[in-house]
Amino acid sequence: MHSIKFVLVAGLVGLSAAPAFAEDTMGTMTMMKGGQVTAIMPDGHMGTMMPDAKMSADMMKKAKPIKHCMMMMTDAKGKAYMIDTSTKKAQAECEKMAM
């Protein structure tokens, strides 16, 4: 159960990671499919899955909506970091990147 919660949280963070990795995909970004779960590990690697209906329902009970733009980046060694976007200036930068 704890691992499912981690996957869900990582999936939500993964939604915000797309802009940070957009340059790697030559500027093309895709949105997640309905029901898709994305996990991001501290070393920067990512994975996705499409859970079955029961697992998806269990995850949604613990899920919280993302209320604002979120950003992540990796350092030279590949370790992933979450960027604080709580200020209005940081939110504007995040939204500009996501457009």
Side-chain angles (χ1 to χ4, degrees):
M1 226 31 180
H2 183 65
S3 62
I4 292 173
K5 184 176 178 182
F6 175 74
V7 169
L8 180 61
V9 170
L12 292 175
V13 172
L15 286 171
S16 67
F21 299 108
E23 187 171 294
D24 291 339
T25 60
M26 304 300 274
T28 59
M29 294 189 309
T30 59
M31 292 180 60
M32 291 177 63
K33 298 174 184 163
Q36 181 177 337
V37 176
T38 302
I40 302 173
M41 295 299 291
D43 67 359
H45 77 270
M46 298 171 53
T48 62
M49 69 180 260
M50 292 293 289
D52 61 33
K54 183 180 183 313
M55 184 183 222
S56 182
D58 290 341
M59 287 180 169
M60 284 303 291
K61 290 177 187 174
K62 300 175 194 111
K64 295 179 184 175
I66 296 173
K67 296 182 181 180
H68 55 81
C69 187
M70 298 169 63
M71 295 188 333
M72 291 185 64
M73 69 178 294
T74 56
D75 65 8
K77 295 179 182 178
K79 186 173 181 180
Y81 293 86
M82 187 177 218
I83 299 170
D84 179 13
T85 56
S86 59
T87 65
K88 287 186 180 186
K89 182 179 178 182
Q91 277 294 304
E93 290 174 4
C94 184
E95 290 170 6
K96 182 179 177 182
M97 185 186 298
M99 293 298 161

